[in-house]
Amino acid sequence: MAGPPPPSSTWYIICTCFLLCSTIQGTLGSRQQKDLLYDLFEKSSYNKLVRPVKNETDNITVSVELYLSQINNVNEKYQYLSMMVWLTQRWKDEYLVWNSSDYQGLDVIRVPASKVWLPDTILYNTRDESSNEPFMTVTTNVIVTENGSVDWSAPLTIKSHCSVDVYLYPFDKQVCQLKFGSWQHDTKYIDYFDDTADASNYNHNGEWDTLEIAHKKELETFSCCPDKTYASVTFRLEIKRRPLFYFLNLVVPCLVISAMSLVEFILPCNSGEKVSLGITVLLSLTVFMLVVAENMPASGSDIPILSRFYIITIMCVSISLLMTILVLNCHHRQTPLPRWMQVVFLQFLARPLCLHVHVKKIQRSNSKRVYEPITQTIYTDMDMGPQEDPIDITTREKRLNGTRNNMRSLSSMESASDPVCREMLRNQRFLVEHFAEKEKTDQLISDWQLVASVLDRLFLWIYLICIVIIDSVIFTQML
């Protein structure tokens, strides 16, 4: 009597039986699907060129779903939006219906999209000649259920027209639309309705954020065929630009360069660098604007607010340069100071501008104005002592009175008979008159320098207030 088989033989028999059962089941499953495909496409002579309805008067209802994957590019110059989406269409094919009980419970099959009828759905507002090719020559599979429902999904890269408004660039929001519909069939044959629009799977772009995505169905009648109504589904996409990169690279450098123009008013007139500093700031701002203009959107419909900011800043810097030239013109004058300038600048404007000035009023004699140089000592809020002349009023008047007395005594001594003495007296008189005239000229220069200091401080406050107001208005509109 034979003994029991060894353990290794037992495991071999079990594994072989398991593989045979699996192979039989797989063969049955493949045979069921093969029979189903044969019955649907070969036996029934399925024609993908014919609308899948048994009654010609019936239309096919197509639902459209859009899932946003990523925004590739928003081109402001050429007004288009490029993005990656997942487009899903669902409809019912009356010729792809079967009873799952006849095929061992097989209720879903997947077949190439090229084997079944597809709606001629296109993107109406496309900006690329090849954008509609994936809709007509898609290579993905479709999912068909036993009740004839067909589900077709495909990842697509589409480029659509988008009216980009660059007024608030780079703090702008854009609204773009994607319009899908049939190119040849009106609502009598194919009708569309909106189903889903979703951006939950959106891969964030470094420049754009998605705010909202909405959808709606539209019915339109075109002038070519007014008796036909075409259905379409429009997806509305609202996106917002991330302004941090542009703010740091376009706005901040402009603010820093324009702030350098304030140094023009602080720099002393005697330094000789006020005009050169203003020209340097103006040229730097102009060159910087030419560099960043390449990154700004080109649009003829409206001027971006950032461009307006640059233009206004350049104008303000140019005006500050003109103000500096006017101050230097007053600083280097040697003519008598008019009375109205003394009243306006030295009496009314000096104190509100934090400039403490002591002046001697212009005297009038015999109804004619006789100019007396203004003796002054000027202190500013930043100085600890006199800025120009530390000699006080009493000392200066004593010096002038002594000069007049000496000249009168010299006039009385010129009648002396000694020629040598007369020559010495004439030379002495010349020296006295020369130094008296020089002192008067120096005092005239000092008076105009005082006016220039007041005028420089006035222009500083005017320029600062204008810059603050203009920048506040522009940034309020940006934000």
Side-chain angles (χ1 to χ4, degrees):
M1 183 174 180
S8 58
S9 302
T10 304
W11 282 108
Y12 177 77
I13 296 173
I14 294 175
C15 292
T16 303
C17 295
F18 177 78
L19 292 175
L20 289 175
C21 294
S22 301
T23 304
I24 294 174
Q25 291 180 358
T27 304
L28 292 175
S30 300
R31 182 57 181 266
Q32 294 165 3
Q33 186 173 0
K34 181 178 179 181
D35 293 341
L36 177 59
L37 293 177
Y38 176 80
D39 293 340
L40 292 177
F41 293 98
E42 302 293 337
K43 185 177 180 179
S44 61
S45 300
Y46 182 87
N47 191 343
K48 65 179 182 179
L49 301 179
V50 180
R51 280 192 321 119
V53 290
K54 296 181 179 179
N55 189 352
E56 185 62 24
T57 59
D58 295 339
N59 64 356
I60 299 177
T61 301
V62 180
S63 67
V64 182
E65 301 177 6
L66 184 71
Y67 301 90
L68 180 61
S69 178
Q70 186 177 13
I71 296 177
N72 296 331
N73 182 30
V74 178
N75 192 299
E76 296 87 356
K77 182 177 181 179
Y78 296 103
Q79 302 282 301
Y80 70 82
L81 168 67
S82 176
M83 70 180 98
M84 297 177 62
V85 299
W86 297 342
L87 184 66
T88 300
Q89 298 183 74
R90 292 187 176 91
W91 65 92
K92 186 173 183 179
D93 193 323
E94 296 182 1
Y95 294 110
L96 298 179
V97 179
W98 71 92
N99 189 353
S100 59
S101 60
D102 297 336
Y103 300 93
Q104 304 254 341
L106 181 60
D107 56 353
V108 177
I109 58 174
R110 291 168 175 82
V111 297
S114 58
K115 298 292 185 179
V116 301
W117 176 89
L118 297 176
D120 58 337
T121 305
I122 65 169
L123 178 65
Y124 280 179
N125 55 338
T126 180
R127 289 297 302 271
D128 192 356
E129 295 179 357
S130 61
S131 289
N132 287 320
E133 289 185 2
F135 297 93
M136 316 301 282
T137 60
V138 64
T139 57
T140 58
N141 291 341
V142 296
I143 302 175
V144 185
T145 59
E146 62 177 341
N147 60 356
S149 176
V150 181
D151 188 334
W152 171 67
S153 299
L156 305 173
T157 299
I158 59 178
K159 183 186 293 185
S160 66
H161 171 75
C162 181
S163 299
V164 181
D165 184 8
V166 297
Y167 176 72
L168 294 177
Y169 174 88
F171 303 91
D172 53 331
K173 296 179 182 179
Q174 304 299 335
V175 177
C176 302
Q177 294 184 350
L178 305 174
K179 188 175 182 179
F180 296 94
S182 174
W183 184 248
Q184 294 290 341
H185 299 84
D186 56 10
T187 54
K188 181 180 179 182
Y189 301 101
I190 297 179
D191 192 11
Y192 287 86
F193 70 92
D194 53 318
D195 192 355
T196 304
D198 185 25
S200 59
N201 295 323
Y202 174 69
N203 297 322
H204 290 281
N205 184 278
E207 185 178 358
W208 296 94
D209 287 329
T210 303
L211 300 181
E212 181 185 8
I213 180 169
H215 53 88
K216 65 176 180 178
K217 176 184 177 180
E218 294 180 345
L219 298 176
E220 295 181 274
T221 302
F222 299 98
S223 58
C224 63
C225 36
D227 56 334
K228 297 180 180 179
T229 302
Y230 291 85
S232 62
V233 177
T234 301
F235 295 91
R236 180 180 178 274
L237 179 63
E238 183 177 356
I239 56 179
K240 181 180 180 181
R241 193 192 305 267
R242 294 182 177 181
L244 180 60
F245 173 81
Y246 298 94
F247 183 80
L248 294 179
N249 291 275
L250 301 183
V251 180
V252 173
C254 180
L255 291 176
V256 174
I257 294 176
S258 61
M260 293 298 296
S261 59
L262 296 174
V263 183
E264 297 179 41
F265 304 100
I266 303 176
L267 197 65
C269 296
N270 294 329
S271 64
E273 300 293 336
K274 291 176 73 72
V275 176
S276 60
L277 177 61
I279 295 176
T280 303
V281 171
L282 183 60
L283 292 178
S284 301
L285 191 59
T286 304
V287 172
F288 185 78
M289 182 178 179
L290 293 177
V291 173
V292 301
E294 300 178 358
N295 299 324
M296 298 179 64
S299 176
S301 59
D302 200 358
I303 301 177
I305 196 170
L306 186 60
S307 298
R308 299 184 183 186
F309 172 68
Y310 277 105
I311 294 173
I312 293 175
T313 303
I314 290 178
M315 293 178 60
C316 291
V317 173
S318 302
I319 293 174
S320 69
L321 184 59
L322 296 177
M323 292 178 177
T324 301
I325 294 175
L326 181 58
V327 170
L328 292 177
N329 183 279
C330 294
H331 182 80
H332 295 288
R333 283 195 178 188
Q334 299 181 8
T335 58
L337 183 66
R339 179 176 177 79
W340 69 269
M341 295 190 70
Q342 177 195 5
V343 174
V344 173
F345 290 98
L346 304 182
Q347 295 184 9
F348 291 101
L349 294 179
R351 187 173 296 275
L353 296 175
C354 302
L355 294 173
H356 305 287
V357 181
H358 304 283
V359 299
K360 180 181 177 181
K361 294 183 179 180
I362 295 178
Q363 299 178 352
R364 294 180 179 273
S365 176
N366 298 328
S367 301
K368 294 182 179 180
R369 185 174 65 183
V370 179
Y371 180 78
E372 290 282 347
I374 301 173
T375 304
Q376 82 289 338
T377 304
I378 174 171
Y379 296 90
T380 66
D381 53 347
M382 298 179 292
D383 297 330
M384 297 301 296
Q387 180 180 0
E388 295 291 342
D389 193 356
I391 303 177
D392 58 5
I393 298 175
T394 305
T395 305
R396 185 64 62 86
E397 289 183 351
K398 288 181 180 180
R399 181 184 296 178
L400 293 175
N401 292 333
T403 302
R404 297 189 188 98
N405 295 332
N406 291 335
M407 294 182 65
R408 282 194 292 269
S409 62
L410 290 174
S411 299
S412 63
M413 293 174 64
E414 281 185 351
S415 59
S417 58
D418 190 355
V420 178
C421 184
R422 286 198 302 269
E423 183 66 22
M424 293 177 60
L425 291 175
R426 280 196 298 270
N427 293 336
Q428 187 177 4
R429 179 184 179 87
F430 172 78
L431 293 175
V432 171
E433 290 178 350
H434 173 73
F435 284 107
E437 186 65 26
K438 183 178 182 301
E439 185 176 4
K440 182 179 179 180
T441 303
D442 293 342
Q443 187 59 42
L444 292 177
I445 295 175
S446 179
D447 295 342
W448 278 105
Q449 290 177 356
L450 177 62
V451 174
S453 300
V454 177
L455 194 61
D456 203 9
R457 183 64 63 86
L458 176 63
F459 286 158
L460 171 61
W461 283 105
I462 294 176
Y463 181 78
L464 183 60
I465 292 174
C466 292
I467 286 294
V468 171
I469 293 176
I470 293 173
D471 291 350
S472 300
V473 172
I474 292 178
F475 281 104
T476 301
Q477 295 179 359
M478 286 183 178
L479 302 176

